[in-house]
Amino acid sequence: MRVAVIGVGQTKMGEHWSKSLRDLSTEAGAMALKSAGLTATDVDGLFIGNMSAGRFVGQEHLGALAVDHAGMTPIPATRCEAACASGGLAFRKAYLSILSGHHKIVMVGGSEKMTDLGATGSVGTLMGAGDQEWESSIGLTFPGLYALMARAYMERYGLQRDELSLVPVKNHTHGIKNPYAQFRFPVSVQDVSRSPLVADPLRLLDCSPITDGAAAIILATEDIARRVDRPVWVAGSGQASDTLALHDRDDLCRLGASEKAAQMAYSQSGMKPEDIDVAEVHDCFSIAEIIAYEDLGFAKRGKGKQLLINKDTSMGGSIPTNTDGGLKVGHPVGATGIKQIIEITRQLRGEAPNQVKGAKIGLAHNVGGSGATALVHILRSD
Amino acid sequence: MRVAVIGVGQTKMGEHWSKSLRDLSTEAGAMALKSAGLTATDVDGLFIGNMSAGRFVGQEHLGALAVDHAGMTPIPATRCEAACASGGLAFRKAYLSILSGHHKIVMVGGSEKMTDLGATGSVGTLMGAGDQEWESSIGLTFPGLYALMARAYMERYGLQRDELSLVPVKNHTHGIKNPYAQFRFPVSVQDVSRSPLVADPLRLLDCSPITDGAAAIILATEDIARRVDRPVWVAGSGQASDTLALHDRDDLCRLGASEKAAQMAYSQSGMKPEDIDVAEVHDCFSIAEIIAYEDLGFAKRGKGKQLLINKDTSMGGSIPTNTDGGLKVGHPVGATGIKQIIEITRQLRGEAPNQVKGAKIGLAHNVGGSGATALVHILRSD
C-alpha cells in the first residue's frame, strides 16, 4: 500500500504574542484541510509532534488539545515526542498508522509555543532534549553541545570559520522568499563572524532561533490520494536512535542515528543519495548542516563544506538544500519536522517560493537533541 | 495479522528515592525481555508512554533515554503522551506499528517518576492533563474535576457516600496480594468516609496516589508469538477523544471517549461486554470506576454501584475488576496503561496473584485527563 501527502498548512513562524498554542495548531490544521479539499469530519486520526508544551506553556495532553479545538473529537489523537524530531516522529507514526489498516485519512501536525518563557527559560527547557542527569545538570546547553561537535569537526577536517558561515549565509538567502519565515533578511560571512559568540566556535548567526509556530499535513491511503490533485507519495521512512548524551558517542563528527535512518529510507524507497533533487536537513546550528550532508551521503566524510563552496546546495545547484531557509529562519521545535516535509511537498508539486526546477524526489531530515533521534523521509511526486 | 503480548515486566510502585526514571524504565524493560526469553538485540522498536517527565524531572526525549540506557540503540524509539492514558496510547501505537509491517518485535513501556517534585508540585504538573487556559488557570485540580463529576453523578443517580466507598474498599482488598502495589493494606467504608476531605465529595481514600514506577511489555507478530509459551493476543484496540475541558461536555456522568473507544475494541474483537472475564478500569478517583462500568457496558446508566453492592467486580464475582488493586494502589501515570495490560496478561496466562479462574478474555481501560483521551484494549488467551 502507498500513502500520500494530500494537503499542507503552516502558520507564520515567529513571536506570536496574540495567539496561543491551540490557536496556532488550529490555524495550521485548517489550512491543511482546505488545501486537501477536505473538512474535519473526513479525518479519522490525528497525530501531533510537540517537544515541551508542559514546560513552555503548562499544557500536556497535546493530542486532545489539538483535536478538541479543531472540533475533530472523537477521533483518536496522539502526541509524539522526540525533542526537535517530534514532528518527523509524528509523521512516521501517522504513516505507519495508515499502513496498519486502522486509519485512512490522518492529520499530522507539529506545534511549539516557545517565546512565552523568554530566552533563558527556553534554553533550559530545550535541555530536556539532552541528558538531564549527565548534561543539563553540569550546565551544558544545546549551543554548547553543538559547539563541541563543531570544534571536533574543525580540528579533524580543517573546516574554517568562514566556511562554516556559508551555511547561515545560504539559508538566510533562501529564507528571504519564504513568507512563513521568522527571519527574511540576508546575512554575509562577515555578519556571521562578527555576531556575538554564544558557545565557541558557534556565534549567534550559527544558531536557529526560538520560535512559535505550527504546521500540519494530511496523509491518506492511495485510493483516496488518487482523487486529489498532485499527491506526493511517501517513498521511504527511516527512524533511528543513538545515545542520549554526547559524551557516550564514539565520534563527535557524525550522527549515527542520521546515517541509519537515511539507510532505512534509501533502502525502502530504492533511492540513492544522488537521486535526491531537493532536501531539507536539520540545521539547528551551522555545523549540523555540514554533518548532515555527510550522514545523508550527499558528501564524503570531511568534504561537506565543498557542497557549500561549490554552491551545490544553493538554488541552481545539484541538490538545493533548505530551500525555505531551514531551521535557521525559524525553528518551532515540535513543528519543524512537519514544516520540512511541507517544503518538500511544495517542491514536488512545483509550488515552492524557491522552486527547484523539475524536482521529483525530495528528502527531509529531522534530528532530536544532539542526535539521539533521527528521522529521514523520502517523498516523490509520482 | 495477529499480534501478541509475549513478555511483561514491572517495577514495584511507590516512592523510589534511590532510582531515577531511567533506572526504573530499564528495570521493567529487562524483566519484560527475560519473561519473553529474548535479549535486547531481538527487539526492533521501542515505544514509551510518559506524561510529564519534562516537568517532573527535567527530561524530555524519553524514547532516547529508554533505548539508550537499555543498550538498545539504534532501534527507533518513540515517546507517546496522552496524560494518564500515555501507557495505553503507547501500547496502541506499538500494536499499529507491527500491523504496518515495519516492525516485528516491539518493546512498549510506560514510566513516570513523580515523587521528586513533592505533592504540591505533582498536583500542578498533573493539571497539564487538563485545559491550561480554562481549568488550571482558575485553580482547578484533578481531584476538583472528578469531584464535579462525582457530585453530578450522586445528585442524578442517588449514589450514596458509603456506596462510592465500595470502590476503594474493593481495590485495596485486591491490592493486598499484589507484590508491586504501593499500598498493601485494607480500608473499610468507615476509613474512607473518615479520611480527609480533598475536594467535596472526594476524600483522600477516594484518590489514587502519587507514584514512581515503570512497566514494559513485549509485543510480537503471530509467527514469533507462536514460538513462546502462552502468548496473549490483542483482539481489539480502541482509542477516542473528547473535549479537553470538562465544562465543554454535554454530560458529566459519562466519558464519551471511553464509550467510543470501547465500541471500537468490541467491534474489532467481535466481543460484547458480557464476554469479558476480567477487567482493569481507570479508577483514578472512586467515581471514575463506577462511570467506567457504565461506559464499558458492564452496567446500565446509573446502575454501576450494583456491581459493587453485589460483589460482581470483586474476586469471585462475574467480572472481577482491578484484580491488582487498580490505580488506587499505585498510579505512576505514564506506566499505568501498561501495568493494566500486564495484569490482564497475567490473568489470561493463569499467573495472577488474585487469579480469576478460567479467565480467557480481558479488557484494559485507560483514561487521560478528565476523559479527553480513552484507550480500550481487549486481549484473549487463544
Side-chain angles (χ1 to χ4, degrees):
Chain A
M1 181 166 54
R2 296 172 81 197
V3 174
V5 174
I6 63 166
V8 301
Q10 71 184 105
T11 67
K12 184 159 171 40
M13 296 182 290
E15 298 186 27
H16 285 290
W17 296 106
S18 62
K19 292 176 183 173
S20 69
L21 184 65
R22 69 186 73 194
D23 298 329
L24 294 169
S25 305
T26 305
E27 183 179 327
M31 285 171 74
L33 280 173
K34 191 176 173 190
S35 108
L38 299 175
T39 59
T41 51
D42 296 318
V43 175
D44 63 26
L46 181 142
F47 287 73
I48 186 162
N50 174 278
M51 176 183 162
S52 207
R55 291 185 61 176
F56 281 125
V57 295
Q59 178 72 64
E60 310 281 3
H61 215 168
L62 275 295
L65 180 83
V67 83
D68 173 19
H69 205 58
M72 290 165 72
T73 56
I75 65 168
T78 300
R79 176 216 187 166
C80 296
E81 186 269 325
C84 307
S86 298
L89 181 72
F91 184 86
R92 179 173 155 89
K93 302 306 140 176
Y95 168 61
L96 296 189
S97 79
I98 292 179
L99 290 183
S100 77
H102 280 247
H103 291 278
K104 288 184 185 303
I105 304 180
V106 170
M107 178 181 289
V108 51
S111 66
E112 209 81 49
K113 185 86 175 72
M114 303 172 70
T115 61
D116 290 11
L117 218 49
T120 312
S122 294
V123 168
T125 294
L126 287 169
M127 267 313 289
D131 189 314
Q132 189 275 329
E133 289 186 34
W134 294 97
E135 292 179 332
S136 329
S137 57
I138 58 163
L140 259 171
T141 62
F142 263 89
L145 285 162
Y146 276 87
L148 289 166
M149 289 188 234
R151 179 55 66 205
Y153 189 100
M154 292 169 91
E155 292 292 330
R156 187 187 299 173
Y157 297 118
L159 177 73
Q160 300 299 309
R161 167 68 261 180
D162 286 356
E163 293 168 338
L164 184 58
S165 301
L166 295 175
V167 175
V169 168
K170 169 181 72 70
N171 290 346
H172 270 266
T173 302
H174 289 175
I176 292 169
K177 280 201 193 170
N178 177 1
Y180 304 104
Q182 182 168 4
F183 300 146
R184 297 183 71 181
F185 53 82
V187 301
S188 67
V189 166
Q190 208 173 51
D191 290 336
V192 180
S193 61
R194 286 180 180 173
S195 67
L197 195 61
V198 174
D200 190 25
L202 300 180
R203 293 178 174 273
L204 186 64
L205 287 173
D206 288 305
C207 307
S208 53
I210 303 295
T211 309
D212 303 331
I217 284 171
I218 311 292
L219 276 172
T221 54
E222 182 158 9
D223 56 322
I224 292 162
R226 290 268 173 229
R227 295 180 223 151
V228 305
D229 191 31
R230 291 176 297 166
V232 169
W233 304 96
V234 183
S237 171
Q239 181 190 349
S241 61
D242 201 347
T243 66
L244 190 58
L246 191 64
H247 61 247
D248 283 330
R249 311 264 173 86
D250 292 332
D251 188 341
L252 295 189
C253 300
R254 69 207 302 162
L255 299 187
S258 292
E259 294 177 290
K260 289 177 187 75
Q263 284 160 15
M264 286 171 74
Y266 286 132
S267 168
Q268 186 192 341
S269 63
M271 301 287 172
K272 299 184 294 297
E274 48 272 34
D275 296 323
I276 306 300
D277 297 318
V278 58
E280 288 283 299
V281 308
H282 197 90
D283 62 314
C284 48
F285 299 93
S286 302
I287 188 64
E289 179 158 333
I290 294 176
I291 291 175
Y293 293 161
E294 302 171 12
D295 291 336
L296 298 169
F298 298 166
K300 290 206 162 61
R301 282 288 153 209
K303 304 291 185 192
K305 68 178 181 184
Q306 290 301 331
L307 298 184
L308 295 158
I309 293 167
N310 301 339
K311 295 191 178 296
D312 290 322
T313 51
S314 295
M315 288 306 301
S318 57
I319 180 168
T321 298
N322 290 335
T323 49
D324 63 349
L327 281 61
K328 186 64 194 76
V329 301
H331 180 26
V333 290
T336 290
I338 300 295
K339 173 204 80 61
Q340 294 177 315
I341 293 172
I342 290 176
E343 173 65 8
I344 296 299
T345 299
R346 291 201 176 107
Q347 289 287 356
L348 303 187
R349 286 175 163 183
E351 57 192 34
N354 283 311
Q355 181 62 44
V356 176
K357 278 188 193 159
K360 290 189 174 168
I361 298 166
L363 179 149
H365 163 252
N366 191 198
V367 172
S370 61
T373 298
L375 278 295
V376 173
H377 285 95
I378 296 175
L379 294 100
R380 57 184 304 161
S381 57
D382 55 18
Chain B
M1 181 166 54
R2 296 173 80 197
V3 173
V5 174
I6 63 166
V8 300
Q10 71 184 104
T11 67
K12 183 159 171 40
M13 297 182 289
E15 298 186 26
H16 285 289
W17 296 106
S18 62
K19 292 176 184 175
S20 68
L21 184 65
R22 68 187 73 195
D23 298 330
L24 294 168
S25 304
T26 305
E27 182 179 328
M31 285 171 75
L33 280 173
K34 190 176 175 191
S35 107
L38 299 175
T39 59
T41 53
D42 295 318
V43 176
D44 63 27
L46 182 141
F47 286 73
I48 186 161
N50 175 278
M51 175 183 162
S52 207
R55 290 185 62 176
F56 282 126
V57 295
Q59 178 72 63
E60 310 281 3
H61 214 168
L62 275 294
L65 180 84
V67 82
D68 174 19
H69 205 60
M72 290 165 73
T73 57
I75 65 168
T78 300
R79 177 217 186 165
C80 295
E81 187 268 325
C84 307
S86 297
L89 182 71
F91 184 86
R92 178 172 157 90
K93 302 306 139 175
Y95 168 62
L96 296 189
S97 79
I98 292 179
L99 290 183
S100 78
H102 280 247
H103 291 277
K104 288 184 184 304
I105 304 181
V106 170
M107 178 181 288
V108 50
S111 66
E112 209 82 50
K113 185 85 174 75
M114 303 171 71
T115 61
D116 291 10
L117 219 50
T120 311
S122 294
V123 168
T125 293
L126 288 168
M127 267 313 289
D131 189 314
Q132 189 275 328
E133 289 184 32
W134 294 97
E135 292 179 333
S136 329
S137 57
I138 58 163
L140 259 171
T141 61
F142 263 89
L145 285 163
Y146 276 87
L148 288 165
M149 290 188 233
R151 178 57 66 205
Y153 189 100
M154 293 170 91
E155 292 292 328
R156 187 187 299 172
Y157 297 117
L159 177 73
Q160 301 299 309
R161 169 67 259 179
D162 285 356
E163 292 168 337
L164 184 58
S165 301
L166 295 175
V167 175
V169 168
K170 168 181 74 70
N171 291 346
H172 271 266
T173 303
H174 288 175
I176 291 170
K177 279 201 193 171
N178 177 1
Y180 303 104
Q182 183 169 4
F183 300 146
R184 296 182 72 181
F185 53 82
V187 301
S188 66
V189 165
Q190 208 172 53
D191 290 334
V192 181
S193 60
R194 286 181 180 173
S195 66
L197 195 61
V198 174
D200 190 25
L202 300 180
R203 293 178 174 271
L204 187 65
L205 288 173
D206 287 305
C207 307
S208 53
I210 303 294
T211 309
D212 303 330
I217 284 171
I218 311 292
L219 275 173
T221 55
E222 181 158 10
D223 57 324
I224 292 163
R226 291 267 174 230
R227 295 180 222 150
V228 306
D229 191 32
R230 292 175 296 167
V232 169
W233 304 95
V234 182
S237 171
Q239 180 190 350
S241 61
D242 202 345
T243 66
L244 190 58
L246 191 65
H247 61 247
D248 284 330
R249 311 264 175 86
D250 292 333
D251 188 342
L252 295 189
C253 299
R254 69 206 302 162
L255 300 187
S258 292
E259 293 176 289
K260 289 178 187 75
Q263 284 159 15
M264 286 171 73
Y266 286 133
S267 168
Q268 186 191 341
S269 64
M271 300 286 172
K272 299 184 295 295
E274 48 271 36
D275 297 322
I276 306 300
D277 297 318
V278 58
E280 287 282 299
V281 308
H282 198 90
D283 61 316
C284 48
F285 298 93
S286 302
I287 188 65
E289 180 158 334
I290 294 176
I291 291 175
Y293 293 161
E294 301 171 12
D295 291 335
L296 298 169
F298 298 166
K300 289 204 165 63
R301 284 287 154 209
K303 305 292 184 191
K305 69 178 181 184
Q306 288 303 330
L307 298 184
L308 295 158
I309 293 167
N310 301 339
K311 296 191 179 294
D312 290 321
T313 52
S314 294
M315 289 305 301
S318 57
I319 181 169
T321 297
N322 290 335
T323 49
D324 63 349
L327 281 62
K328 186 64 197 74
V329 301
H331 180 26
V333 288
T336 290
I338 301 295
K339 173 203 79 62
Q340 293 177 316
I341 293 172
I342 291 176
E343 173 66 8
I344 296 298
T345 299
R346 291 200 176 107
Q347 289 287 355
L348 303 188
R349 285 175 163 182
E351 57 191 36
N354 284 312
Q355 181 62 42
V356 176
K357 277 188 193 160
K360 291 189 174 168
I361 298 166
L363 178 150
H365 163 252
N366 191 198
V367 172
S370 62
T373 299
L375 278 296
V376 173
H377 285 96
I378 296 175
L379 294 100
R380 56 184 303 162
S381 57
D382 54 18

